[in-house]
Amino acid sequence: MKKFFVVNSWGKGESPIQFASVPKQQKADISAFKKAKKKKKNIKDSSTASGQIFPRPPLAPPPSPPPITESPALKQSKSILRGRVTKPNKKSKPAKESPNKIKMPTPKPTQSSSFEAKLKENLMGGRFRFINEQLYTMSSKSANKLFREDKSAFEAYHEGYRHQVQKWPMNPLNKIIKFIKKLPKDSVVGDFGCGEGKLGQSVPNKVFSIDLVACRKDIIASDMANTPLDNECLNVAVYCLSLMGTNLNDYLLEANRCLKMGGILLAAEIESRFDDVRQFIKSLENCGFSLIKKDASVKLFLFFQFKKVRNVGKEAKLTPFSLKPCVYRKR
C-alpha cells in the first residue's frame, strides 16, 4: 500500500492518508482499454493520411409529416386576419391561347353582300308571287303544262312557299298530321297537292303523295283531276292549301271516286279566299260529301272535315266553282 502526504489545513503538521491499491486484474483491463484506444486512433490517423475515408452508413430520412389541408373556412379566416377578404371568382377564366396561334379575322358582311342577298330574296319572292297568281287563275291542265315546260318553276314556287310558311302563326299541315295520327294505322291516305311530301314522311299510314311535279321517288307526278289511283282505295283524302285553279269540281269528283264510302275529306285553306263559306260547303255536297265539322279556331285559316255519303261519278254535271286567289303583299 502506497502512502501519500497531504497538507492538513485544520492543524499543524502533516498526517498520512492511505489509499487502497488497484487490483492486478483491474490494472490489466485498464491497460488493454488504453492500448485498444491508441490502436484505433493510429488506424484513423493512417487512413486520413492515405486519403481513404470510411463513410458512415447513411441514416434513414425522417418520415415526412402528412400534408396539412386547409378548409375554405380556415383560408377565409386567415384572409380576414391579414386584413383582406377575397370573394370567390365564379366566372371561369378563358383558356390561354398559344402565342403562335394565328387569329383569323371574322368576316363582316359588307354592304354589297347584304344588298345582293336582299335583291336575291326580292327576285325569289317576285317569282313566287307570279307563279302563285298563275296557278290560281288557270286550270290544272294548264298548270301541268307550265311545270313541264319550266322545270325550275316548281322549285322556285316551293322555295317561296317555305319562306311564306315561316311568317304564318302555324303550318296548317301540322294540324292535319295530328288528326291522321289518331286514326287507325291501316287507314290509307291520299295527299292531293302534296308539294314536298311532308305528310307522307310524318305519319305511319300508307300515303299516296300526288302533285304536278315529283321531287322524290315516292311522289306520284299527276294532275289532281285525273290520278292513277284505283276506285275506292282511300280512307282519307287531304287538300292542304291545294284547292287552286279554276276547275275545283274536277279535283273533288276525283276524291269522291278514290274514297271509300264513309271516307273522310280534309281541307285547309286561307280564310281570305272565301267569299261565302256556305257556297263552298254546298259545292262539296254536290260532289257527294256531307260536312262533319268546320274549324275556325286558328287565325288566318279554315279547316273542313267532310264525309263521303254517295258516289257521284266523274261525268256529273255540276256548276263550276273556284275560290278567290290568295294575293301576297308585294315588296
Side-chain angles (χ1 to χ4, degrees):
M1 179 180 292
K2 293 183 179 181
K3 294 181 180 180
F4 296 90
F5 294 89
V6 295
V7 178
N8 187 358
S9 59
W10 299 101
K12 295 181 180 180
E14 297 177 354
S15 60
I17 297 176
Q18 296 181 358
F19 293 92
S21 60
V22 179
K24 291 183 179 181
Q25 183 62 35
Q26 190 173 358
K27 286 183 179 181
D29 292 340
I30 293 171
S31 177
F33 173 76
K34 289 182 178 180
K35 288 181 180 180
K37 187 176 180 181
K38 186 176 181 181
K39 185 178 181 182
K40 184 177 181 181
K41 183 179 180 182
N42 293 337
I43 292 172
K44 185 177 180 181
D45 294 341
S46 62
S47 64
T48 305
S50 62
Q52 296 180 0
I53 300 175
F54 297 94
R56 293 182 179 179
L59 300 175
S64 59
I68 300 174
T69 56
E70 296 182 354
S71 63
L74 180 59
K75 289 182 179 180
Q76 187 175 4
S77 63
K78 286 186 176 181
S79 300
I80 294 172
L81 291 174
R82 287 195 294 266
R84 67 174 185 272
V85 179
T86 57
K87 296 182 179 180
N89 187 12
K90 296 183 179 179
K91 296 182 179 180
S92 59
K93 296 182 179 179
K96 294 183 179 180
E97 296 183 357
S98 174
N100 298 328
K101 185 177 180 180
I102 301 175
K103 295 183 178 180
M104 299 298 292
T106 305
K108 296 181 179 180
T110 60
Q111 187 175 359
S112 59
S113 63
S114 60
F115 174 76
E116 289 175 2
K118 188 175 181 180
L119 179 61
K120 184 178 179 181
E121 183 180 355
N122 290 339
L123 291 173
M124 180 183 64
R127 192 179 186 197
F128 164 70
R129 290 190 298 271
F130 174 74
I131 298 171
N132 187 67
E133 290 174 5
Q134 285 186 301
L135 294 176
Y136 280 117
T137 56
M138 64 174 56
S139 66
S140 58
K141 286 184 178 180
S142 301
N144 196 10
K145 182 181 178 181
L146 169 67
F147 287 127
R148 281 202 314 267
E149 293 177 352
D150 185 3
K151 295 182 179 180
S152 64
F154 182 84
E155 183 178 350
Y157 173 77
H158 282 283
E159 180 67 25
Y161 177 79
R162 283 192 294 269
H163 282 273
Q164 189 63 39
V165 169
Q166 295 176 359
K167 301 176 183 179
W168 290 341
M170 66 163 296
N171 187 345
L173 183 60
N174 294 336
K175 188 176 179 69
I176 293 176
I177 290 172
K178 187 177 180 180
F179 175 84
I180 293 176
K181 285 183 176 180
K182 295 179 181 179
L183 299 177
K185 293 184 180 180
D186 58 351
S187 299
V188 182
V189 182
D191 187 7
F192 294 85
C194 67
E196 296 174 329
K198 180 182 176 182
L199 174 60
Q201 295 179 325
S202 304
V203 297
N205 306 68
K206 180 177 178 57
V207 178
F208 291 102
S209 301
I210 303 167
D211 210 326
L212 293 173
V213 177
C215 60
R216 291 200 315 269
K217 292 182 179 181
D218 60 328
I219 295 176
I220 302 171
S222 173
D223 184 350
M224 291 190 300
N226 295 284
T227 68
L229 300 181
D230 296 332
N231 294 337
E232 299 188 4
C233 64
L234 302 178
N235 299 101
V236 183
V238 175
Y239 290 89
C240 183
L241 306 180
S242 58
L243 291 175
M244 307 172 72
T246 57
N247 59 324
L248 296 187
N249 274 335
D250 297 336
Y251 297 171
L252 299 172
L253 289 176
E254 179 68 4
N256 182 275
R257 180 187 71 83
C258 297
L259 276 171
K260 297 177 180 179
M261 190 62 66
I264 302 298
L265 187 148
L266 301 175
E269 276 298 337
I270 296 176
E271 186 177 8
S272 61
R273 296 194 64 199
F274 296 90
D275 277 331
D276 188 352
V277 176
R278 290 175 297 179
Q279 183 59 42
F280 173 75
I281 296 172
K282 181 66 176 176
S283 298
L284 269 86
E285 289 176 350
N286 295 336
C287 295
F289 298 98
S290 176
L291 179 66
I292 299 175
K293 182 180 180 182
K294 184 189 79 169
D295 185 358
S297 61
V298 180
K299 184 180 179 181
L300 192 65
F301 300 104
L302 286 179
F303 296 87
F304 299 91
Q305 183 178 341
F306 292 89
K307 180 180 180 181
K308 178 182 175 179
V309 292
R310 71 180 190 276
N311 288 317
V312 177
K314 295 280 289 183
E315 304 301 327
K317 300 293 183 180
L318 301 175
T319 304
F321 82 99
S322 61
L323 298 177
K324 290 170 58 178
C326 183
V327 180
Y328 294 98
R329 184 180 63 183
K330 297 183 179 181
R331 299 173 188 174

